[in-house]
Amino acid sequence: MARIIGGLTSSHIPAVGNAIANNQTQEPYWKRFFDGYGPAQAWLSEHRPDVVIVVYNDHGLNFFLNNVPTFALGCADIYCNDDEGWALKPVAPFQGDAQLSWHIAESLVAQEFDIATCQEMKVDHGFVNPLRAFYGTCDVWPVKAIPLAVNTVQHPVPTALRCYKLGKALRHAVESYSEDLRVVVLGTGGLSHQLQGERAGLIDVDFDLQCMEKIANDPDWMTQFSNAELMRRAGTEGIETIMWLVMRGALESNVRIVHKHYHAPISNTGAGVLVLENYE
Ligand code: DHB
Ligand code: FE
């Protein structure tokens, strides 16, 4: 049977892709941020997942404002990125697993999560940059990747609670798949940031650190907040942190924190890395 072996989180900042492409990761501005991925890279090379389910939001590349699904699952065998306006260069295509995706889709719908299914899906920095931070930029990616897009862009946005419940359904979906696969769920986005308006540049370090601790040890805490409350505290784009709850819902109730790293500011964001492991 397929098994979820752990969960990862990462912010998904466009400038990260350019820093990697331009060999700037060891420069003073970037070094501490990228150092936060070292233990996660080591964990990945030790545990070698076969598949990573990347929970991210599309930022207008694949879905524009005229057509925004709440939850959309990639059901393809290949995913490509494209220029989305941040001068990000194309990277090697990502291999998917359409058969697993369709199984997940069927199971999620049976569990009353009526997701959109996408047999073609272009992936943006929200998907690509966390994978580059965890794996480096590869000519052939060492893991299959399945995109699961969550609308965090245009209201109405699903709640943190809904995302947490989706994670639980996702776990059931994966763990009812007959092939022996080692699966990791990666929640991207967040932590606090706001890119526009009077509060542009907002970062709340205390709230970010509290979210990281609670998502690992007491995820129900996070589900008490409405989206308005989360945006008031963490900024309009800080709402992306709800996607970490999808990852957390896919794990057991008690998890081991293998690695935790926080760095702020980087670009416009409070950036967090988590590696959580299910107890065997
Ligand atoms: C930044 C962060 C994001 O999540 C995003 O989608 C775009 C930009 C930033 O920090 O600059
Ligand atoms: Fe974003």
Side-chain angles (χ1 to χ4, degrees):
M1 301 299 277
R3 218 158 44 89
I4 293 183
I5 59 167
L8 305 170
T9 69
S10 169
S11 305
H12 64 215
I13 297 159
V16 164
N18 292 331
I20 295 171
N22 299 329
N23 287 323
Q24 294 169 326
T25 60
Q26 294 310 299
E27 291 187 359
Y29 179 76
W30 289 105
K31 185 175 177 354
R32 188 176 179 280
F33 168 81
F34 280 105
D35 282 352
Y37 289 85
Q41 291 168 348
W43 185 85
L44 284 166
S45 50
E46 188 190 340
H47 293 274
R48 298 202 172 278
D50 303 299
V51 180
V52 55
I53 298 172
V54 184
V55 188
Y56 75 109
N57 64 290
D58 182 270
H59 299 74
L61 178 72
N62 194 73
F63 304 113
F64 201 62
L65 299 180
N66 59 336
N67 186 8
V68 182
T70 303
F71 300 119
L73 183 70
C75 295
D77 276 323
I78 197 150
Y79 304 99
C80 296
N81 75 326
D82 207 343
D83 181 4
E84 49 172 293
W86 300 96
L88 291 169
K89 296 193 182 78
V91 295
F94 298 85
Q95 200 193 336
D97 185 336
Q99 209 179 325
L100 173 58
S101 289
W102 283 115
H103 169 84
I104 292 171
E106 207 168 311
S107 175
L108 289 180
V109 172
Q111 295 176 79
E112 301 179 355
F113 278 94
D114 305 322
I115 47 153
T117 50
C118 306
Q119 297 188 58
E120 289 178 359
M121 205 166 177
K122 280 185 184 167
V123 288
D124 73 4
H125 73 269
F127 176 99
V128 173
N129 284 354
L131 288 176
R132 292 170 89 178
F134 284 120
Y135 283 101
T137 304
C138 305
D139 291 332
V140 178
W141 297 95
V143 66
K144 290 181 176 178
I146 295 179
L148 174 52
V150 175
N151 170 30
T152 62
V153 170
Q154 177 161 269
H155 301 287
V157 166
T159 60
L161 177 60
R162 185 74 175 146
C163 288
Y164 188 47
K165 288 180 177 172
L166 173 64
K168 289 176 188 244
L170 182 62
R171 177 178 181 191
H172 180 73
V174 168
E175 297 194 341
S176 58
Y177 191 61
S178 58
E179 202 179 322
D180 279 332
L181 290 175
R182 300 158 63 73
V183 179
V184 161
V185 182
L186 163 57
T188 79
L191 292 158
S192 60
H193 62 303
Q194 174 151 340
L195 300 179
Q196 72 284 304
E198 282 177 13
R199 298 202 310 160
L202 173 149
I203 289 178
D204 187 329
V205 172
D206 291 338
F207 189 63
D208 286 349
L209 293 173
Q210 196 175 20
C211 286
M212 289 187 83
E213 199 275 316
K214 293 290 190 186
I215 287 171
N217 293 323
D218 180 16
D220 287 321
W221 175 87
M222 191 82 181
T223 64
Q224 72 182 296
F225 297 114
S226 70
N227 288 343
E229 286 167 334
L230 286 175
M231 284 186 280
R232 203 169 290 131
R233 194 72 201 261
T236 46
E237 279 71 39
I239 192 67
E240 290 175 347
T241 314
I242 62 173
M243 295 183 290
W244 294 25
L245 271 295
V246 181
M247 176 285 298
R248 186 63 185 86
L251 301 182
E252 286 167 14
S253 44
N254 292 318
V255 292
R256 184 171 30 236
I257 301 176
V258 176
H259 173 61
K260 178 156 107 170
H261 186 267
Y262 179 77
H263 182 80
I266 200 80
S267 197
N268 299 290
T269 295
V273 180
L274 277 177
V275 180
L276 304 180
E277 217 172 46
N278 276 335
Y279 288 108
E280 290 295 321

